[in-house]
Amino acid sequence: MRILIAEDHVLLRAGLERLLGDAGHEVLPSVADAEGLLRSCAEDRPDLAVVDVRMPPTFTDEGIRAAVLLRSTRPPLPVLVLSQYVEERYAAELIAGDSAGLGYLLKDRVAEVGDFLTAVETVGSGGTVLDPEVVSQIMIRSRRSRDLDALTPREREALELMAEGRSNGSIAERMHVTAGAVEKLVSAIFSKLGLPAEDSGHRRVLAVLTYLGVDARR
């Protein structure tokens, strides 16, 4: 299999080149940024790209955004994302599309070289390999998004003010409504976010954590 490695860490890049080469694969000249990844894929037509998520220049999500672009080609290029991070937004986008020839592994959780090489073969031949932690985090993001989508604009406004640490009285003043109206909004927020009454002492905190994207109910 002709494999392209997109990894900015020079030692890891060299290690992957050696590992894949020893396993009998043809390793194309590796690249250290997303621009090089896209250019090399267009010119060299690899059978598989192994891609890091965070790459130069900002080291945020350049690699996985490039992977999304590569997966939008027809036929989509097999891509194995290999990273320390779960970039939830683009990971969800990757998985929501055609999952054939797609992998997402976390570097710290690859316990055996043999497992990694098996994943490479699986993805390169059109299979799918996803780390359970990746799937779990995407599901949490999806649930959180659904929860917040259920709120009305006024409820979201009230929740945002709660996240600023405001009391009901302060929220009422800010939203130009009565304290009773705020209590109704807050009650609706608790209900739609699935925060039971028995957690009354913590519901306000849990609601704010949900708004901030922190899953505290696992």
Side-chain angles (χ1 to χ4, degrees), residues 18 32 66 73-74 80 83 103 122 148 153 167 171 180 196-198 202 217:
R18 177 70 176 272
T73 59
R74 289 292 178 270
L80 174 58
S83 177
T122 300
L148 294 177
S167 66
I171 293 172
E198 54 266 31
H202 305 288
R217 287 174 284 174

Side-chain angles (χ1 to χ4, degrees), residues 137-154:
Q137 292 196 33
I138 292 173
M139 289 180 67
I140 291 169
R141 173 189 170 86
S142 176
R143 187 186 73 195
R144 187 169 67 231
S145 176
R146 287 198 304 273
D147 289 345
L148 294 177
D149 285 347
L151 302 183
T152 66
R154 292 293 275 175

